[in-house]
Amino acid sequence: MTLSLKNASKTYPDGTRALLPSDLVIETGEIVSLLGPSGCGKTTLLRIIAGLEKPDEGTEVWFGSDNVTRLPVEKRNVGMVFQSYALFPNMSVRTNIAYGLKMQKRPRAEIDQRVEEVLTLCRLTPLANRAVTALSGGQRQRVALARAFAPRPRLLLLDEPLSALDAALRDSLRDELSDLLRRFGITAIFVTHDQNEAMAIADRVAVMSDGRIEQIGSPENLYRNA
Ligand code: ADP
Ligand code: ADP
């Protein structure tokens, strides 16, 4: 699904202009990183796309040919993964992954089938019945990804999903994630303040600074011009 942002901006009630009017188009199946230092507006942009933050007047958010600007988060069918896992600690891996599908009131057989599929793809089958509290940080983040993939969202939003992990794990999960995103063929936005991570994972990198998208291009092009 193509994502289009037109004239997207956000001024917080205290007057902070977190996002200045910005346009962004992300094509179906494309993975775009939002790269920039803390406070430059990455999370605000992501939350506007998700429907978690009300943007300024004049902003338009389009999912394909649907104008979703006024749709609440639960009607947008986006998957989200954050730095802190936000899994349900007292539920098993399987139950966590099934959660979104149950919320969508899918038939039991379909839920079971999708959960098995995602468990396999994310290499979590051996851990399916474990409690989340018994898993390592990397395993938990893999469960968070699996849970986001399971309802087949139109768009996947990832906000610093690897930042809480140690360096070695971060690199291996980064490659795994890149592979998974491409296998699912999902349109995704990956927020990070780490340039290497942005370059490694994305088809295009949008470089943000002080509430603006300063430039956008393929990692090769950005690197050549750096
Ligand atoms: P990033 O994700 O790049 O760290 P944010 O989008 O979180 O940036 O923040 C952009 C700017 O908006 C920062 O100056 C931040 O302090 C400010 N900001 C974020 N949330 C709020 C809020 N709820 N109220 C006021 N200012 C905010
Ligand atoms: P990030 O990972 O984007 O840097 P922060 O730690 O800056 O996130 O922000 C965490 C939460 O605090 C967010 O919900 C954000 O909206 C809120 N927040 C950030 N800056 C401010 C601010 N200046 N005033 C009020 N809320 C803020």
Side-chain angles (χ1 to χ4, degrees):
M1 179 205 74
T2 304
L3 165 75
S4 320
L5 284 172
K6 296 180 187 164
N7 203 35
S9 67
K10 174 71 188 180
T11 310
Y12 284 105
D14 68 357
T16 304
R17 302 199 64 194
L19 184 66
L20 299 166
S22 303
D23 295 322
L24 179 65
V25 176
I26 301 181
E27 303 296 343
T28 305
E30 198 182 18
I31 303 166
V32 170
S33 281
L34 298 181
L35 172 68
S38 183
C40 73
K42 305 182 298 295
T43 299
T44 299
L45 183 54
L46 207 68
R47 289 172 58 87
I48 288 172
I49 295 166
L52 291 166
E53 198 75 70
K54 188 174 176 286
D56 294 346
E57 209 55 46
T59 298
E60 289 181 28
V61 184
W62 291 80
F63 287 1
S65 56
D66 301 333
N67 185 340
V68 301
T69 314
R70 285 179 179 76
L71 284 188
V73 58
E74 61 277 9
K75 295 266 173 68
R76 292 196 188 192
N77 189 19
V78 292
M80 288 181 266
V81 179
F82 304 109
Q83 179 176 345
S84 48
Y85 324 105
L87 296 170
F88 304 108
N90 299 319
M91 293 183 192
S92 70
V93 168
R94 190 189 297 281
T95 317
N96 264 281
I97 295 173
Y99 185 81
L101 297 166
K102 286 189 183 140
M103 288 291 107
Q104 292 180 336
K105 304 214 187 318
R106 306 260 179 188
R108 182 80 228 177
E110 187 188 336
I111 294 178
D112 290 346
Q113 191 216 323
R114 288 241 201 133
V115 169
E116 289 316 313
E117 198 179 285
V118 172
L119 280 169
T120 307
L121 277 166
C122 297
R123 294 195 285 120
L124 287 165
T125 306
L127 303 175
N129 298 318
R130 292 258 192 106
V132 161
T133 42
L135 303 181
S136 71
Q139 290 170 335
R140 285 183 203 199
Q141 202 54 317
R142 227 167 330 110
V143 176
L145 288 167
R147 190 178 59 173
F149 281 126
R152 297 198 185 132
R154 295 199 274 184
L155 181 67
L156 187 64
L157 304 176
L158 304 144
D159 194 354
E160 303 263 6
L162 309 176
S163 297
L165 307 173
D166 67 58
L169 194 57
R170 203 157 60 220
D171 288 354
S172 71
L173 199 58
R174 181 191 74 198
D175 295 342
E176 212 179 305
L177 175 60
S178 169
D179 187 56
L180 267 178
L181 291 173
R182 285 177 172 79
R183 229 169 327 142
F184 279 91
I186 196 167
T187 311
I189 305 183
F190 183 91
V191 165
T192 180
H193 61 267
D194 181 324
Q195 180 170 334
N196 291 331
E197 204 169 277
M199 299 273 189
I201 220 159
D203 300 309
R204 283 191 302 153
V205 179
V207 183
M208 290 189 73
S209 160
D210 293 334
R212 291 178 198 281
I213 298 172
E214 299 259 290
Q215 52 177 333
I216 182 162
S218 68
E220 299 75 29
N221 281 334
L222 289 179
Y223 188 71
R224 207 177 301 134
N225 297 329

